Amino acid sequence: MPSRQERIVQQRLEKLERIRKLGIDPYPNRYQRSHSTREAVALLEQIEAGQAKKSKVSVAGRIMAKRKMGKSAFFDIRDNSGKIQLLFKDIDRFKPKERELFDDLDTGDFIGVEGSLLRTRTGEPTVDVKSFSLLAKSLQPLPEKWHGLSDVETRYRQRYLDLISNAETRHTFEIRSQIIATIRKFLNERGFVEVETPVLLPSAGGALAKPFVTHHNALDIDFYLRIATELHLKRLIIGGFDKVYEIGRTFRNEGISTTHSPEFTMLESYESYANYLDVMQMVEEMVCTICEQVVGTLQVEFAGNVIDLTPPWQRITLRDAVKEYSGIDFVSFPTADGLRARMRGLDMEVDPESNWAKLVDELLKTFVRPNLIQPTFVYDYPVSMSPLAKIKPGEKRVVERFQAFVGGSLELGNAYSELNDPIEQQERFVEQMQERHGADEERWTIDEDFLLALEYGMPPTGGLGVGIERLVMLLTDQQSIREVILFPHLKEKP
């Protein structure tokens, strides 16, 4: 026996056939609108204020609701800008072909209408329809609860239904677009040049992560999908660009969590003659500008907390932060075995294969990050955690690096004073390879061409990486990264 869904689809197919027999194309190639729904409502308000006279409009959108009242009917249609009500007054006055077409219209169909603007007794902006056209016949019915589609699996797998059903989802992705546009404007006005670098790379470098591997048939070579844009952007600094940035997709073949996706968008920027302190100031200014221009305030709510993004942000060294929140001074435990034993004394489950740098990072994740509700720069990291960062003057085991945290869970950015000594850089790469030889899935392959480029000289440079999704999560109060990715990856249905 056919399901209810199958019966509805069959009925709509029959309607589609009847419409074709009327000589009507159910999928025309164009419709000329005079106004969006928002513009039509604004025009009505101008007419009511005596600022305009002409009330005839042509609008178009998806039918979201139908209500028959005797010989008349009310529809709600929606376009990208909003919705407006349609009044089909005395359906019998339409021509026979139009009446037949009207009877075969369903929620989900796209229509275009011409008519005059009015406001009903209930105060609803309305188009009094004089003529109408079918623009696209919907064969699948909208979800029964289209006005509040809540099934997470459906929302992610069929994002188009989520966008149809939930204005909040559309708003989130509109905000995302505005954030990216504002970042571009901010950097362009400061003399940065936007560039594009390769996605397919012969070696995986620029970060510690497990890469995706693919094969180039024409060249018969295995390539990695980039895990960072860093090494190519630095090549451009070496080549004479003083300030460059890229906003692009990055791929890491790792786990999925509320803050991690294997495919995500990263902003990376590099500025000659700057260090990590200069980048800190730029991050504050950039996030402040985004908040003011996109959401209109520097105080945003995230995960039940009011976050104040007003500069200056709190600053604390990694050593002091770990010591304050865990009680462990990791400098006092210079070996992995010693630090691991101290961590187990706090009843932590510790991977026996983790090296010293990973153990320190675990202390940061477990004890420090959950306490950093207000925006905070954690800076000055051990050199073993940051193979691409420059040693801090007067220190031996500390590099000029910071991470920006907020909301108790989000890492907004990661920045270095970039290492530009080619000999030291090669030594760091070799050390990283040796430390990660074996079972560790994180790959670090030596990019020989990058090392050769460094030998031609790179000026002092401040580098920055910002996860776009996490910034969007913060400014839209979303606790899952999948809520800010239009088409997140999911397991196949069983």
Side-chain angles (χ1 to χ4, degrees), residues 56-240:
K56 188 175 181 180
V57 296
S58 60
V59 297
R62 186 191 293 274
I63 301 172
M64 302 302 292
K66 296 171 55 182
R67 300 176 295 280
K68 290 199 72 173
M69 301 180 66
K71 291 186 177 183
S72 298
F74 289 96
F75 286 11
D76 291 337
I77 64 167
R78 180 183 293 279
D79 65 9
N80 185 63
S81 67
K83 74 178 183 69
I84 197 166
Q85 181 173 261
L86 308 180
L87 168 59
F88 293 84
K89 190 187 304 179
D90 188 9
I91 298 167
D92 290 342
R93 70 184 171 87
F94 289 98
K95 296 176 182 179
K97 184 185 286 190
E98 290 179 317
R99 290 200 301 270
E100 290 186 59
L101 173 60
F102 180 87
D103 290 337
D104 284 334
L105 294 177
D106 292 298
T107 55
D109 292 351
F110 281 88
I111 62 170
V113 304
E114 293 184 6
S116 300
L117 292 167
L118 58 85
R119 194 178 294 275
T120 63
R121 284 177 293 179
T122 59
E124 190 73 18
T126 302
V127 178
D128 183 5
V129 178
K130 305 303 180 186
S131 64
F132 64 96
S133 304
L134 175 64
L135 305 181
K137 183 67 183 169
S138 171
L139 300 182
Q140 292 282 348
L142 298 178
E144 290 188 10
K145 295 182 179 179
W146 60 264
H147 53 283
L149 181 65
S150 58
D151 181 75
V152 172
E153 183 81 4
T154 300
R155 289 181 55 242
Y156 293 160
R157 288 192 186 278
Q158 296 176 277
R159 181 67 85 183
Y160 45 89
L161 293 181
D162 187 22
L163 295 169
I164 292 169
S165 305
N166 296 316
E168 301 83 13
T169 300
R170 291 194 302 276
H171 180 67
T172 293
F173 290 103
E174 288 166 355
I175 291 293
R176 178 183 173 124
S177 177
Q178 293 169 25
I179 288 171
I180 293 173
T182 306
I183 289 172
R184 283 195 165 101
K185 183 173 183 289
F186 177 90
L187 293 173
N188 291 344
E189 288 178 348
R190 281 155 179 77
F192 283 81
V193 176
E194 183 174 11
V195 298
E196 295 175 302
T197 61
V199 173
L200 297 177
L201 302 174
S203 60
L208 297 176
K210 182 181 179 183
F212 287 92
V213 183
T214 188
H215 187 76
H216 193 301
N217 290 331
L219 298 178
D220 194 23
I221 298 174
D222 282 343
F223 277 88
Y224 299 100
L225 272 67
R226 67 184 180 194
I227 57 178
T229 59
E230 178 167 348
L231 300 186
H232 277 85
L233 292 176
K234 287 185 188 177
R235 284 171 168 89
L236 298 179
I237 295 292
I238 293 166

Side-chain angles (χ1 to χ4, degrees), residues 193-417:
V193 176
E194 183 174 11
V195 298
E196 295 175 302
T197 61
V199 173
L200 297 177
L201 302 174
S203 60
L208 297 176
K210 182 181 179 183
F212 287 92
V213 183
T214 188
H215 187 76
H216 193 301
N217 290 331
L219 298 178
D220 194 23
I221 298 174
D222 282 343
F223 277 88
Y224 299 100
L225 272 67
R226 67 184 180 194
I227 57 178
T229 59
E230 178 167 348
L231 300 186
H232 277 85
L233 292 176
K234 287 185 188 177
R235 284 171 168 89
L236 298 179
I237 295 292
I238 293 166
F241 284 93
D242 283 347
K243 299 179 180 181
V244 295
Y245 75 95
E246 182 170 8
I247 300 174
R249 299 299 268 182
T250 304
F251 309 88
R252 298 181 183 180
N253 195 3
E254 300 174 335
I256 295 174
S257 73
T258 56
T259 58
H260 293 84
S261 171
E263 179 182 1
F264 58 98
T265 301
M266 178 75 77
L267 159 70
E268 288 201 39
S269 70
Y270 293 85
E271 179 177 359
S272 298
Y273 315 111
N275 70 0
Y276 74 144
L277 298 178
D278 300 307
V279 179
M280 267 191 205
Q281 183 177 349
M282 187 181 79
V283 169
E284 287 179 329
E285 292 176 0
M286 181 170 67
V287 174
C288 178
T289 299
I290 292 168
C291 289
E292 289 178 329
Q293 295 187 11
V294 177
V295 299
T297 177
L298 293 179
Q299 286 76 43
V300 298
E301 185 169 327
F302 178 77
N305 297 297
V306 176
I307 309 296
D308 187 353
L309 294 162
T310 305
W313 296 356
Q314 176 180 328
R315 288 161 167 76
I316 186 171
T317 66
L318 176 64
R319 180 182 181 183
D320 288 344
V322 170
K323 188 175 181 180
E324 177 178 344
Y325 292 109
S326 74
I328 295 177
D329 183 357
F330 56 74
V331 173
S332 301
F333 301 91
T335 67
D337 289 340
L339 184 56
R340 188 180 296 111
R342 179 67 181 87
M343 291 166 68
R344 285 174 175 159
L346 297 178
D347 295 326
M348 291 184 67
E349 292 186 10
V350 184
D351 184 349
E353 299 298 323
S354 292
N355 60 29
W356 188 86
K358 273 201 165 186
L359 294 174
V360 174
D361 191 49
E362 192 62 34
L363 288 170
L364 172 64
K365 291 177 182 177
T366 303
F367 294 100
V368 179
R369 290 178 58 167
N371 289 288
L372 302 182
I373 305 301
Q374 298 304 318
T376 303
F377 291 118
V378 178
Y379 66 99
D380 288 358
Y381 281 57
V383 64
S384 58
M385 296 178 70
S386 312
L388 291 161
K390 202 171 185 67
I391 294 285
K392 187 171 184 176
E395 303 279 356
K396 291 184 178 180
R397 299 186 62 181
V398 175
V399 295
E400 293 188 340
R401 174 191 177 188
F402 74 77
Q403 288 178 288
F405 299 106
V406 68
S409 61
L410 293 181
E411 176 198 338
L412 287 186
N414 185 25
Y416 310 144
S417 296

